[in-house]
Amino acid sequence: MLFKNATIIDGTNQPGFPGHVLVENDRIVQVFRQEEALPKDLSDVWDCSGKILTPGFIDAHSHNDFYAAKPDHRLYFEPFVRQGVTTMVVGNCGFSAAGYAEQTRFNDEVGGGLFSNDGKNFGSFAGWAKKVDRHMPVNMVALIGHGTARIGANGKANTPLSAEAKVQMEETIERSLSEGAAGVSFGLMYEPGQFAPLEELESIAKIVKKHDKIITFHARACSKVSTSYHPPVGGRAHNLRAMDEVVAIAKKTGAKTQYSHLIFVGKRSWDTLEESLRILEETKASGVDIAFDMYPMEFGASVITVVLPVWYLGMEPKRRKTLINRLRLSLEVFIATKALGFGFGDILVTNTFGAFKELEGLRVTDIAKKWKMGLLKTYLELIDRTNGRINVMMYRYQNADIIERLRRHPQSLYMTDAWIEKESGVQNFAAIYAFPKFLCLALEHGTPLEEAVHKMTGATASRFGLPNRGTIAAGNFADIVLLDPARLGYTEGRDLPPTGIDLVMNNGKIVVREGIFDSAAAKNVGRILKV
Ligand SMILES: [Zn+2]
């Protein structure tokens, strides 16, 4: 198949050029400049006049490994594929679908309540990879979640690892890395990652360094004040302390480090933007290979318990309800939300997993009115009645100016951090149009499209060590997006597919044609990319 007369933006950050791309089976066999002679007798020619041809987009931060083995692929993956996504980096924030002891009795805790393997036990990376390879609509490169590995050995409770459990956890991680996992992710704000002592984190980072792979961090705090530190207010901004912790681990172990989803939760955190970037720049200048990823949204998906303090989460449910603990909690949560510039009105319930369907789409403030209860009481009531199993969308993570600053930063990569929730009335819009929005932002602000494309293709492929992906070059896999810059668009705040993503090809198969998703073609196209 020949893509003829396209403007080729090849993912390397070099200027686009007019030319043609020849694809055979699952590979790009040749890239021609406009003036070069083409082979004769080509039957399948696609006229790309006026269109831009790029590599397939690589989502640098995804959780869709938990959806790869679910039956309804179309539901979970169509929105991403229609954005132009052909590959996802999965297993982030300490959560991964695989990478834990097969004989574990804690199988149900894998996913931390945010995600689930539906009772399946995949064990190490290889078991999962075998199950999903060529049975999904996108390619996946997988990190092993430290949280998942720790749950396999010890559950998600706040109890120290025995020497035996630590050995088991590290062996599972090491085995998964040898089997082709791309690195390890940490979720220091989530159970059980938040309970792990520094020595445990460093020990794993050293294993990853030995394998020359990457560590990624969901940091302990993403806001200026938080309940992760004591006292919950005051002193150095908590998100900066959390970044210091990541930087210290990176410097001490020398492991290649990715700071996940750089965000600034709550309006009062926004003045830490410049110092955060300075720390990341200085760390890189000191010789540590560090970068970050970001999305173009002002909100993010999380779990309802994410703003609760560690001491409370680590407590037995019975003790949580004692008056003294409730009072302490009320005070800490009250102070923290004030100091954050963030309130219960910024928490929107997206999924209650069937418990309170009528509340999905409502903010905690709306629910309080409905239930005629105080805000904190409503919030705690929601947690108690569902055992904390509620997914939410949190607003005021950043604003348009911050997005602009991060989007153009030399150390940023692009991602969605999104997934589709079946039972939910509200989808995360990043799943619908994050990548087209990145391209639109470049066009609106008059910044190079080449740079934007690079940060969602070639830069990401090289960061995670993917061979033969992320650039338009002879010999590479034929992961291709054809877009129409005149029609490129998305609808802010609406669950409507983007426009102008005309064709998406993955491993040489067309999965979106004239904007329409081809479910039959997509079903088995995605491969596990072993690193
Ligand atoms: Zn995260």
Side-chain angles (χ1 to χ4, degrees):
M1 177 169 183
L2 182 76
F3 293 98
K4 202 176 171 188
N5 298 324
T7 297
I8 299 168
I9 296 184
D10 67 3
T12 62
N13 208 12
Q14 296 302 306
F17 58 90
H20 326 286
V21 175
L22 184 63
V23 169
E24 260 175 46
N25 302 319
D26 62 354
R27 300 275 183 156
I28 295 168
V29 288
Q30 214 168 336
V31 180
F32 301 90
R33 297 265 161 178
Q34 190 71 29
E35 60 281 3
E36 286 179 81
L38 289 169
K40 304 239 176 320
D41 307 325
L42 289 168
S43 55
D44 195 1
V45 178
W46 193 285
D47 179 35
C48 306
S49 307
K51 308 272 174 76
I52 295 172
L53 186 148
T54 74
F57 305 152
I58 303 174
D59 186 346
H61 183 107
S62 173
H63 296 285
N64 279 307
D65 43 339
F66 284 97
Y67 299 86
K70 291 193 199 285
D72 194 352
H73 279 147
R74 180 167 200 148
L75 174 73
Y76 296 115
F77 290 96
E78 176 178 352
F80 292 96
V81 175
R82 288 182 75 169
Q83 291 192 41
V85 173
T86 52
T87 297
M88 296 170 166
V89 179
V90 298
N92 277 285
C93 303
F95 304 119
S96 57
Y100 57 99
E102 252 153 89
Q103 69 282 12
T104 182
R105 60 195 169 91
F106 301 108
N107 193 40
D108 290 346
E109 294 181 13
V110 169
L114 191 52
F115 307 106
S116 166
N117 273 343
D118 304 326
K120 293 188 208 76
N121 185 329
F122 297 115
S124 76
F125 170 82
W128 173 78
K130 200 164 159 230
K131 173 97 180 121
V132 299
D133 184 49
R134 294 173 203 244
H135 291 290
M136 54 187 178
V138 296
N139 307 312
M140 289 188 183
V141 51
L143 303 162
I144 296 306
H146 158 244
T148 288
R150 196 183 211 266
I151 284 170
N154 194 57
K156 68 173 184 176
N158 183 11
T159 50
L161 286 183
S162 66
E164 197 187 18
K166 185 163 183 280
V167 167
Q168 192 209 56
M169 177 184 74
E170 292 189 348
E171 275 178 3
T172 315
I173 288 173
E174 185 125 36
R175 192 164 108 224
S176 294
L177 291 173
S178 313
E179 288 167 349
V184 170
S185 75
F186 294 100
L188 303 187
M189 202 192 277
Y190 294 113
E191 301 170 287
Q194 63 186 183
F195 308 133
L198 182 63
E199 179 275 326
E200 179 179 329
L201 307 178
E202 286 175 353
S203 173
I204 293 169
K206 281 182 200 150
I207 294 173
V208 177
K209 167 72 182 169
K210 194 177 79 189
H211 286 258
D212 196 22
K213 294 190 172 179
I214 194 167
I215 47 176
T216 76
F217 286 90
H218 180 132
R220 206 171 289 279
C222 300
S223 48
K224 199 170 188 174
V225 301
S226 75
T227 47
S228 295
Y229 293 96
H230 287 287
V233 285
R236 179 165 166 77
H238 293 186
N239 56 326
L240 297 177
R241 283 194 229 178
M243 189 176 271
D244 294 342
E245 180 184 18
V246 170
V247 165
I249 295 169
K251 282 188 172 165
K252 187 159 174 194
T253 63
K256 187 201 270 193
T257 300
Q258 185 75 5
Y259 197 88
S260 294
H261 46 53
L262 185 58
I263 43 172
F264 302 87
V265 174
K267 217 162 67 169
R268 286 180 192 264
S269 311
W270 294 352
D271 65 3
T272 60
L273 166 69
E274 289 307 324
E275 189 169 354
S276 300
L277 292 178
R278 201 163 54 239
I279 293 170
L280 291 167
E281 288 158 14
E282 284 170 5
T283 305
K284 189 170 163 66
S286 79
V288 177
D289 188 357
I290 192 164
F292 67 92
D293 42 70
M294 55 91 53
Y295 52 38
M297 304 296 177
E298 295 181 20
F299 55 79
S302 192
V303 288
I304 196 159
T305 50
V306 77
V307 294
L308 289 179
V310 175
W311 64 261
Y312 182 80
L313 283 171
M315 201 172 259
E316 289 289 307
K318 227 162 104 193
R319 282 185 57 215
R320 286 182 183 178
K321 290 199 172 172
T322 62
L323 185 63
I324 183 77
N325 288 328
R326 280 286 158 131
L327 279 173
R328 182 180 169 197
L329 180 72
S330 308
L331 186 69
E332 286 193 16
V333 171
F334 175 77
I335 294 171
T337 51
K338 284 285 167 235
L340 270 171
F342 179 84
F344 290 108
D346 296 317
I347 304 176
L348 186 145
V349 170
T350 55
N351 197 352
T352 61
F353 301 93
F356 289 104
K357 215 157 173 45
E358 71 282 7
L359 303 183
E360 290 167 3
L362 297 183
R363 297 187 186 228
V364 173
T365 39
D366 303 324
I367 298 168
K369 270 190 210 133
K370 208 176 152 101
W371 284 0
K372 300 188 174 63
M373 255 182 214
L375 286 172
L376 181 67
K377 184 136 192 281
T378 303
Y379 174 74
L380 294 177
E381 206 53 40
L382 281 168
I383 291 166
D384 286 346
R385 289 197 203 173
T386 57
N387 204 15
R389 191 143 188 265
I390 293 186
N391 291 358
V392 299
M393 206 108 87
M394 309 257 286
Y395 280 74
R396 294 204 225 182
Y397 269 33
Q398 49 191 358
N399 63 8
D401 294 338
I402 297 174
I403 291 171
E404 196 51 22
R405 181 82 171 95
L406 300 182
R407 185 180 77 76
R408 300 231 46 215
H409 193 275
Q411 283 162 270
S412 68
L413 295 179
Y414 296 167
M415 55 99 184
T416 69
D417 193 12
W419 58 93
I420 296 292
E421 288 188 356
K422 202 174 181 174
E423 295 141 281
S424 164
V426 185
Q427 296 303 340
N428 180 345
F429 302 121
I432 315 295
Y433 58 72
F435 283 101
K437 184 170 179 181
F438 274 122
L439 297 171
C440 288
L441 287 173
L443 292 171
E444 277 165 36
H445 291 269
T447 64
L449 209 49
E450 287 85 348
E451 176 192 80
V453 169
H454 176 60
K455 284 171 175 288
M456 50 211 241
T457 58
T460 314
S462 92
R463 182 107 194 111
F464 289 92
L466 306 184
N468 303 112
R469 306 263 174 192
T471 56
I472 300 295
N476 275 5
F477 287 94
D479 299 348
I480 287 171
V481 170
L482 197 61
L483 58 96
D484 181 352
R487 291 190 301 111
L488 191 65
Y490 62 96
T491 314
E492 185 80 55
R494 296 288 304 279
D495 188 351
L496 292 170
T499 54
I501 306 289
D502 287 351
L503 180 140
V504 181
M505 174 179 267
N506 194 341
N507 290 313
K509 293 235 162 55
I510 296 175
V511 288
V512 170
R513 192 189 290 265
E514 278 153 14
I516 310 293
F517 179 72
D518 184 340
S519 186
K523 206 167 65 178
N524 297 319
V525 87
R527 300 179 189 174
I528 289 295
L529 309 183
K530 291 184 181 168
V531 176

